[in-house]
Amino acid sequence: MTDEEVKFVVSKHYPRFNAQENIVFLTDYKYWAKHENELQAWCDTYECRLSGSIVIIPDDKMLNLFVLKWA
């Protein structure tokens, strides 16, 4: 996979946030701009938070769902 195909990067337990949460950095801005509404609906359904170009995911189970859906 090339850098151009990477849609997101996962950072577990990013120090700026709650240590229990996982942070997903959205790296492919063109892809996410096309899917912004779908991503927001997904976040609402699974109780994740979308904030700018990051998604805050409360636990590993939801992180796995995110990766399966968006990878």
Side-chain angles (χ1 to χ4, degrees), residues 48-62:
C48 298
R49 295 187 316 263
L50 177 60
S51 178
S53 62
I54 65 170
V55 180
I56 302 166
I57 300 180
D59 58 38
D60 289 342
K61 180 180 177 182
M62 291 301 116

Side-chain angles (χ1 to χ4, degrees), residues 57-68:
I57 300 180
D59 58 38
D60 289 342
K61 180 180 177 182
M62 291 301 116
L63 178 60
N64 287 336
L65 287 175
F66 179 89
V67 171
L68 289 171

Side-chain angles (χ1 to χ4, degrees), residues 17-48:
F17 298 96
N18 182 336
Q20 300 299 316
E21 296 176 327
N22 299 295
I23 306 303
V24 175
F25 296 91
L26 306 176
T27 56
D28 184 346
Y29 66 91
K30 291 180 184 178
Y31 176 84
W32 295 111
K34 290 179 189 175
H35 299 291
E36 182 177 5
N37 292 335
E38 186 180 358
L39 176 60
Q40 184 62 62
W42 186 92
C43 288
D44 293 344
T45 299
Y46 292 103
E47 299 180 3
C48 298

